[in-house]
Amino acid sequence: MKASTSVHDWMKAIQTPTPYRVGTAKIQLKPRFLAYASLFTMALFILFVFVVLPRPIRGIPNCVEIRKRTEYNSTYPLTEPEDLGDGYRFKIAVVTDLDTDSKISENTWKSDIKFGHITVSTDMREVKIHWEDSVTLSSGLSQGGRGMELSELVAFNGKLYSVDDRTGIVYQIDNQKVIPWVILADGSGHESKGFKSEWATVKDKRMYVGGLGKEWTTVSGTVQNFNPQWVKSIGPSGDVIHLNWRENYNKMRHACSTDYPGYLIHEAGVWSIVHQQWFFLPRRASMEAYEEVADERRASNILLVCNEHFENIEVRHIGVVNPTHGFSSFKFIPGSNDRLIIALKSMEDKGQIATFVLVFSVDGEIIYPETKIGDYKYEGIEFV
């Protein structure tokens, strides 16, 4: 009887619902468990964001910062011209290449920058130029014991730059301070020597810096290399592209009947955005082979006007030839529709040195005759 009751009770127990039935069970989570779960979830999220997702590396700017840095500043001239009613007044500057005289102490080299103003009448028939005192720029950078032999001035991306034809350094000029920006290696860019930078201009938001344009020779004319026939293209962020311009330079040479062993020496070249053409004023031109002493009296009065790829080259002449006065720099006068040019001519003859300034039209009409600036070699001019 007891056994029967036990079996009956056991069967009844199996069929009787209990508080733990799956269909109606309630999971009651304790607060401590919820806190731990939340912390674990948060840790997984942080791990995903900072480890799995890509992120900027410390010290490397993000895309927005890069875009801001590479936005081009097309301001030109750098100083707003003064409206005089019957004309405009522009601020200008010229810079010296003192060669070996640039050294002022054991570890310091200098260049002088002179500021001034040019006033141009509304009809562009009258020009006045006034010069102010010079300011000394200095640097401790050199190559082979020489430095700061500044051969050009160029406004680029809202700043003023100059190029050193001894070290290949492109300096930013900020008040009385020079800041090294880019170093240009000679030739193709795989040389240990600095590029002998002689002219500079702006085209398509890039700075173009060119060499002499002739083969590098010994003092007697023996060819050593073609490095001066390269051109450097520099972007706003300082990237450099090395361009072999040997064919372009030789096309200009051929147009002037100065094919090798004759030569042209270039120190003044500008791209005109108005004309969409290259303008070059060679400092020297010769049908004869290069010879150092004779070269001092082979100045040129040639103006070369070339289309973008040098398929068409026009030869014009500016005034009469003065055999010791050769072009070293020029710029188009703002507001002239690239019709008026202000240029420098340098003289180096038997130890005598001087620089002259003149203004003329692209058609060769002299507006402001050669006028002496001083007994220094100024090799760069710009509207600042």
Side-chain angles (χ1 to χ4, degrees), residues 288-309:
E288 302 176 39
Y290 179 82
E291 197 278 317
E292 188 175 42
V293 176
D295 182 65
E296 291 183 344
R297 304 187 67 83
R298 292 175 174 174
S300 160
N301 71 335
I302 295 171
L303 170 62
L304 294 169
V305 183
C306 319
N307 67 353
E308 184 173 10
H309 301 293

Side-chain angles (χ1 to χ4, degrees), residues 199-264:
W199 57 268
T201 187
V202 177
K203 179 181 183 291
D204 301 330
K205 299 181 181 179
R206 295 185 69 86
M207 181 195 301
Y208 282 72
V209 180
L212 292 169
K214 65 176 284 294
E215 306 85 358
W216 188 257
T217 64
T218 63
V219 294
S220 59
T222 302
V223 177
Q224 294 186 313
N225 59 62
F226 300 98
N227 292 345
Q229 292 188 309
W230 285 77
V231 167
K232 316 296 181 176
S233 173
I234 311 171
S237 61
D239 64 290
V240 179
I241 301 173
H242 307 275
L243 305 171
N244 188 340
W245 262 40
R246 188 179 178 193
E247 184 178 352
N248 295 340
Y249 281 125
N250 287 344
K251 285 180 180 178
M252 289 190 282
R253 176 187 286 181
H254 181 72
C256 298
S257 300
T258 55
D259 296 281
Y260 183 84
Y263 62 90
L264 296 177

